[in-house]
Amino acid sequence: MPRNSSSRRSFLKHSAAIGTVGISGLAGCSSITGGETPELGLAFTVPVENIASLFAIEDIQEQLTNLGSEYELNVTRDQSTPDSLNKMAAGNADMALLSTVSYASAVQQEAVPDNISMIATDFWDAHPDWYGISVFSGADSDITEPEDLEGTTIGVNAQGTGVHAIIVKQFQQLGLDPENDVEIVELPFPTFVEAINDGRIDAGVFPAIFAVAARGEGFNEVYSAQDIWDQEYPFAYTVAANSSLDEKGDAIAAWGEDFREMVNYAYDNRSEVVSLAAEYFELPEPLVDGFFLTENDYYRQDLTIDMDRLQFTMDEMVNLGFVEESFDVTEYASNDYIPEN
């Protein structure tokens, strides 16, 4: 069921109930319990790189105005976006982090009853001043230009994803066949550096968090998203089940205010947040410090949805063969739940 972006009927309903904070490990969930406030469920897949994952950290929760009074929160990590969509379909999550292809597929397949609406942008790719998803080859490799990739093996986490689209778009621009002129090998992102050094793959597509290791190894940046996209485009998003927006719209609007507040706090207190995120998600602090909220990270400051760029992105996914047909994004996205910059 399409949702019109002007369908918000009311703003924030204030509540006097106060919840108490309790945190559990990453394998489980983070939640606030007690009180009569609405409970929201948020599912994510990639810690830190999905900046909304910071909602799981108690010290950051304590900085937020509405959390615990206007809504309670249950934050969980999933292995994949289909897992998050299944959780939403079962009514066990209200919001989830998706990317280009998973969002389009979920909308078209109606993966969640009553469908979904995008309510915030998590990060943008290909911004001229920030990191763009990049292809790296080994330090001693002869692969230094996109043309050198013909006939090679390239690692991706999964085919049919927005990350895979970085390869397909480049090969199409070179006049090469992305199915026959390159071999795509599916591997977990954390194994790419070792796989390149061992010769199992010739190159890999590195999101920001994993590019830290590639730079540390002195790898060649063969090309980046900026080389193939005309300008930045929204890559990762927060979506909500339309049924949740109908039932808990005021609470989700309060969450949107906190999302804006949390991102501002993270940039203003970067060193503290890097340490907190590394400790909570059990990541090496130099890894997080090597990209998060620096020029080696994505553009994150604009959390609102640029409908024109989102429409362009969905249309481009069709042109690249990742989505069967396009759709009017304004029916499945709304800026009513996130404050403007």
Side-chain angles (χ1 to χ4, degrees), residues 108-164:
Q108 294 189 322
Q109 296 172 12
E110 298 187 21
V112 176
D114 293 328
N115 224 311
I116 61 173
S117 292
M118 186 187 304
I119 58 172
T121 300
D122 196 75
F123 68 80
W124 296 65
D125 187 28
H127 192 284
D129 299 323
W130 300 83
Y131 183 76
I133 298 172
S134 301
V135 172
F136 286 88
S137 65
D140 299 326
S141 174
D142 294 332
I143 302 170
T144 59
E145 301 291 338
E147 293 82 357
D148 301 330
L149 291 166
E150 183 177 4
T152 65
T153 58
I154 305 179
V156 297
N157 65 320
Q159 297 192 54
T161 62
V163 172
H164 181 204

Side-chain angles (χ1 to χ4, degrees), residues 22-299:
I23 299 292
S24 62
L26 182 59
C29 64
S30 301
S31 63
I32 292 183
T33 57
E36 299 298 327
T37 52
E39 181 173 343
L40 300 177
L42 172 66
F44 71 94
T45 55
V46 185
V48 184
E49 187 157 273
N50 288 143
I51 197 168
S53 67
L54 299 185
F55 273 102
I57 302 173
E58 182 176 9
D59 286 351
I60 294 178
Q61 291 181 353
E62 292 173 351
Q63 309 302 319
L64 305 178
T65 300
N66 297 313
L67 179 54
S69 59
E70 307 301 338
Y71 65 97
E72 301 168 353
L73 190 62
N74 179 31
V75 185
T76 55
R77 182 186 179 186
D78 293 326
Q79 293 299 313
S80 67
T81 51
D83 291 337
S84 297
L85 287 166
N86 288 336
K87 188 175 290 182
M88 293 177 72
N92 295 323
D94 302 286
M95 302 176 291
L97 277 294
L98 303 181
S99 59
T100 51
V101 178
S102 57
Y103 163 68
S105 299
V107 165
Q108 294 189 322
Q109 296 172 12
E110 298 187 21
V112 176
D114 293 328
N115 224 311
I116 61 173
S117 292
M118 186 187 304
I119 58 172
T121 300
D122 196 75
F123 68 80
W124 296 65
D125 187 28
H127 192 284
D129 299 323
W130 300 83
Y131 183 76
I133 298 172
S134 301
V135 172
F136 286 88
S137 65
D140 299 326
S141 174
D142 294 332
I143 302 170
T144 59
E145 301 291 338
E147 293 82 357
D148 301 330
L149 291 166
E150 183 177 4
T152 65
T153 58
I154 305 179
V156 297
N157 65 320
Q159 297 192 54
T161 62
V163 172
H164 181 204
I166 299 295
I167 300 173
V168 173
K169 188 170 178 65
Q170 176 68 91
F171 269 62
Q172 287 187 356
Q173 290 180 0
L174 293 173
L176 298 173
D177 185 342
E179 293 187 3
N180 298 312
D181 290 334
V182 67
E183 181 182 357
I184 304 299
V185 178
E186 292 184 344
L187 294 170
F189 282 129
T191 68
F192 279 17
V193 168
E194 182 180 358
I196 289 174
N197 285 334
D198 290 348
R200 284 178 285 150
I201 59 176
D202 299 305
V205 188
F206 286 78
I209 190 171
F210 299 106
V212 176
R215 287 190 294 270
E217 293 280 324
F219 281 7
N220 299 307
E221 183 185 288
V222 183
Y223 69 91
S224 69
Q226 286 88 340
D227 297 322
I228 56 174
W229 290 85
D230 64 339
Q231 67 182 86
E232 64 269 22
Y233 66 101
F235 186 94
Y237 332 110
T238 305
V239 304
N242 283 343
S243 58
S244 296
L245 293 175
D246 288 337
E247 298 168 9
K248 307 177 184 180
D250 294 335
I252 292 173
W255 174 88
E257 289 184 341
D258 282 351
F259 189 18
R260 169 72 64 200
E261 189 174 14
M262 183 188 72
V263 171
N264 290 341
Y265 181 85
Y267 277 97
D268 291 342
N269 301 274
R270 178 184 179 275
S271 179
E272 174 195 353
V273 170
V274 164
S275 296
L276 288 171
E279 179 181 4
Y280 184 83
F281 294 116
E282 299 182 350
L283 296 169
E285 188 162 336
L287 171 65
V288 180
D289 190 47
F291 87 99
F292 194 45
L293 310 181
T294 74
E295 69 277 3
N296 291 320
D297 196 2
Y298 306 105
Y299 177 59

Side-chain angles (χ1 to χ4, degrees), residues 100-109 115-116 118 307 310-315 317-318 323-333:
T100 51
V101 178
S102 57
Y103 163 68
S105 299
V107 165
Q108 294 189 322
Q109 296 172 12
N115 224 311
I116 61 173
M118 186 187 304
M307 297 295 178
L310 178 60
Q311 187 68 64
F312 169 81
T313 304
M314 294 301 103
D315 294 345
M317 290 301 111
V318 175
V323 178
E324 289 187 3
E325 60 182 4
S326 193
F327 55 94
D328 182 355
V329 299
T330 62
E331 296 183 353
Y332 302 94

